[in-house]
Amino acid sequence: MGIYPKSLEKLIKQFSRLPGIGQKSATRVALYVLRSNREMAESLAKSLIEVKEKIKFCSTCFNLTDDDPCPICSDENRSNGTICVVEGPGDQLAIEEAGIFKGRYHVLHGVLSPLNGIGPEDLKIGELLVRLSKEGIKEVILATNPTTEGEATAFFLAKLLSEKDGKLKIARIALGVPMGGDLKYMDRMTLEHALGSRRLINQ
Amino acid sequence: MRPLNNEDVEVPKSILNRQLNLLSYEGLQNYLMNSHISPAIIMRINEFGESDLLVTFFTSDRGRLKGVAKGGRKSQKRFANCLDLFCLTSLEYELKRKGDLHFLHSCKLINGFPGLRSDFSSLSMASYMIELSEILFPLGVVDKKMFELLEHSFYALNHGARNDALRIFFEAKAMSLGGYRIDLNKCCICGRDYAGEGRAVFRPSKGSICCLKCGEESATSPGLSPESIEMLGLMQSGQWGTVEELSFSNEMIQDIKPVLKLHMEYRIGRRLKTAEYLE
């Protein structure tokens, strides 16, 4: 028998199933919910159900959205010729928050990872190829993360896209020393990328 | 390529000094006793909590280990750009007396093998090698030759070695190191020594070859030419060369490939998950 009442134990167990939340954090959150007023608990429960019922994938870019197509895909002020390909909704959000890209997005929902059983057919690659001809895309920016699997996915896509359309401009996001980084701690590969993609600043 | 030794790996002094200053005398003693630096190949990385990473790595001196890199996802100094799949690193970690999980202090990149990320077939091949190593060598089983085989194979893959040749080379050597060497010396049924003349048939259940008088070639018992048997013997032997030192003909590869496939499936009990991406 646990030290808390059954219903509270159940709530702690449910919270501790969430990523990054251990037993102690789950207990703290459950006790906070218990202490707060009824409206707060009801609104939390309602939001949880709502998110499961209403959130779906945009049929165009496969980002998470309430409405289909999503606000970005239905925004007529955005440029139509460029697609930025990202791994997941979080990556799209990061680029969107920076406010520097005004084109369209395509969310792959993962990267190629044979060790985890993820192959090309498990990603939204076929849908990207369909969009190329349907939307008259001129440039594709491959913004997968610079990890081994992210890089391999970018190279795989670059090959596939250039085979499909030889005239298509395919770009990869730049790699190198990050803002606030320290050269002393940089590895050979990062410095190689940084020097390889250097740009002139006096012209 | 000379294999990497522990002596080749420099202690990251800045990290060592910083940590030593922070520790008490007892802490210092404990630190020196438990801290260890090994060349390691990163096998798997999983997110762990808010900013930590759960890392599986293969070391030359302590075999396959698991560890937690605290703050590994955000660190710009201790783990900057080196905790990535298939990277060869100099890893500083704390040895655990209880449990499986080690504590990773810092890491320095030795080789990132950029060729492994440049196409899907190389990524799949490297993943296949890792999966086979994981099956043959459970946590903590030490085999320096297996580490060298992985390292050499990644170097070869990085420099564009033939995937089919490299695959049978790795499979034959890894199975041999794991204790599943194919007996090529005599017929497993009549016991007669194989003199290196004429074709022979592979028997998966025996892990050995038999002469054509005792068995027939079929899909479940593929045949091998004398040249293929000699090559397979060379790959399995203790002369630990690299794939570049051996010259494979297409016929040899076609002969040896089904034999190793059947042998592995029989000994491991299943097909490797990553194998489907190699076809």
Side-chain angles (χ1 to χ4, degrees):
Chain A
M1 197 179 137
I3 52 169
Y4 295 110
K6 258 187 184 174
S7 53
L8 188 58
E9 285 270 359
K10 202 172 153 189
L11 185 63
I12 293 170
K13 199 178 165 189
Q14 291 301 323
F15 278 134
S16 65
R17 288 169 69 182
L18 299 175
I21 297 192
Q23 191 71 20
K24 278 186 180 175
S25 301
T27 309
R28 202 165 56 241
V29 176
L31 288 171
Y32 175 79
V33 171
L34 193 66
R35 273 199 308 271
S36 58
N37 55 30
R38 189 181 170 85
E39 285 75 39
M40 191 263 171
E42 274 176 357
S43 142
L44 179 68
K46 202 176 155 193
S47 301
L48 285 172
I49 292 165
E50 207 171 274
V51 91
K52 283 303 287 178
E53 279 176 354
K54 285 193 177 173
I55 298 288
K56 54 194 165 208
F57 290 141
C58 168
S59 58
T60 310
C61 70
F62 295 93
N63 191 22
L64 299 173
T65 180
D66 278 334
D67 310 305
D68 190 14
C70 70
I72 294 175
C73 289
S74 52
D75 186 350
E76 287 176 4
N77 294 324
R78 297 184 80 104
S79 129
N80 272 327
T82 313
I83 281 189
C84 180
V85 180
V86 292
E87 283 181 24
D91 302 307
Q92 191 249 29
L93 197 69
I95 298 176
E96 202 51 22
E97 272 179 355
I100 38 167
F101 180 69
K102 297 292 173 201
R104 309 286 179 184
Y105 290 96
H106 188 85
V107 184
L108 289 174
H109 288 281
V111 279
L112 296 173
S113 174
L115 269 175
N116 296 315
I118 302 170
E121 64 284 358
D122 301 307
L123 307 176
K124 305 285 181 196
I125 293 175
E127 290 83 349
L128 175 65
L129 296 177
V130 171
R131 285 185 74 184
L132 284 187
S133 43
K134 203 173 152 189
E135 295 178 28
I137 302 300
K138 301 272 185 299
E139 184 181 3
V140 175
I141 301 167
L142 301 171
T144 52
N145 287 318
T147 57
T148 302
E149 289 162 337
E151 290 272 286
T153 307
F155 279 108
F156 177 83
L157 281 175
K159 196 179 163 197
L160 200 70
L161 295 172
S162 56
E163 275 170 11
K164 188 170 166 61
D165 184 354
K167 288 177 185 167
L168 188 71
K169 275 167 74 181
I170 303 165
R172 178 86 178 108
I173 49 165
L175 305 173
V177 184
M179 291 278 284
D182 193 331
L183 282 180
K184 286 198 292 291
Y185 297 107
M186 292 299 134
D187 62 279
R188 194 170 56 87
M189 263 173 84
T190 304
L191 290 173
E192 203 178 301
H193 278 300
L195 286 168
S197 50
R198 69 188 183 276
R199 63 185 173 91
L200 298 171
I201 54 169
N202 63 343
Q203 283 174 11
Chain B
M1 182 66 66
R2 188 173 63 88
L4 202 73
N5 295 318
N6 265 0
E7 293 78 43
D8 294 335
V9 182
E10 271 182 47
V11 179
K13 281 179 185 168
S14 57
I15 292 160
L16 195 60
N17 289 339
R18 180 164 47 84
Q19 299 218 355
L20 294 185
N21 290 339
L22 295 170
L23 294 164
S24 62
Y25 178 71
E26 291 78 18
L28 173 69
Q29 264 194 327
N30 195 27
Y31 178 84
L32 290 173
M33 277 170 70
N34 287 331
S35 188
H36 190 79
I37 297 175
S38 303
I41 289 170
I42 309 295
M43 299 176 101
R44 276 181 199 265
I45 297 172
N46 297 99
E47 291 182 359
F48 192 64
E50 192 80 357
S51 60
D52 306 340
L53 288 171
L54 185 62
V55 186
T56 309
F57 52 100
F58 202 98
T59 61
S60 58
D61 51 352
R62 287 171 201 270
R64 184 159 70 90
L65 301 171
K66 258 186 188 180
V68 176
K70 296 291 259 179
R73 281 156 76 188
K74 290 178 182 169
S75 168
Q76 293 196 349
K77 290 176 182 174
R78 290 183 304 132
F79 301 110
N81 316 319
C82 51
L83 280 186
D84 201 359
L85 220 52
F86 315 137
C87 285
L88 175 64
T89 61
S90 163
L91 198 62
E92 189 194 2
Y93 56 98
E94 199 171 298
L95 301 173
K96 279 270 176 190
R97 286 179 193 160
K98 286 180 190 172
D100 285 341
L101 229 48
H102 297 263
F103 182 78
L104 309 188
H105 286 293
S106 68
C107 184
K108 194 175 160 187
L109 188 76
I110 298 171
N111 197 330
F113 302 115
L116 268 62
R117 31 178 102 195
S118 61
D119 69 293
F120 185 53
S121 60
S122 301
L123 180 83
S124 304
M125 183 59 78
S127 306
Y128 180 75
M129 290 170 178
I130 292 290
E131 192 185 355
L132 184 56
S133 312
E134 282 179 338
I135 293 168
L136 294 173
F137 293 89
L139 285 176
V141 175
V142 183
D143 196 317
K144 196 178 176 194
K145 283 185 173 170
M146 188 61 214
F147 176 83
E148 287 169 4
L149 175 61
L150 256 181
E151 189 192 350
H152 286 314
S153 302
F154 281 3
Y155 271 112
L157 205 53
N158 192 37
H159 289 105
R162 268 179 74 180
N163 270 13
D164 47 2
L166 187 60
R167 180 179 174 176
I168 59 165
F169 179 81
F170 186 85
E171 286 173 348
K173 284 202 165 194
M175 289 299 280
S176 173
L177 283 171
Y180 300 113
R181 176 190 289 213
I182 298 173
D183 186 2
L184 303 167
N185 297 323
K186 58 179 186 294
C187 171
C188 61
I189 295 170
C190 67
R192 203 171 48 174
D193 284 345
Y194 178 71
E197 289 167 6
R199 288 180 73 83
V201 175
F202 172 66
R203 284 289 174 95
S205 58
K206 303 275 183 192
S208 178
I209 54 167
C210 72
C211 60
L212 284 176
K213 281 181 186 168
C214 300
E216 277 182 10
E217 287 188 31
S218 68
T220 51
S221 299
L224 284 162
S225 68
E227 295 78 29
S228 302
I229 292 174
E230 193 191 359
M231 180 58 82
L232 193 53
L234 265 177
M235 290 191 290
Q236 291 190 140
S237 72
Q239 301 156 7
W240 299 100
T242 58
V243 68
E244 294 90 349
E245 290 168 12
L246 302 168
S247 57
F248 293 90
S249 67
N250 285 337
E251 291 74 34
M252 276 180 196
I253 293 171
Q254 293 311 317
D255 252 6
I256 298 171
K257 205 174 165 183
V259 168
L260 285 170
K261 183 177 176 275
L262 285 169
H263 181 54
M264 284 167 59
E265 281 176 11
Y266 189 85
R267 297 294 148 192
I268 293 167
R270 64 174 170 87
R271 195 165 182 238
L272 266 64
K273 286 177 195 165
T274 46
E276 70 171 285
Y277 301 106
L278 296 176
E279 308 304 335

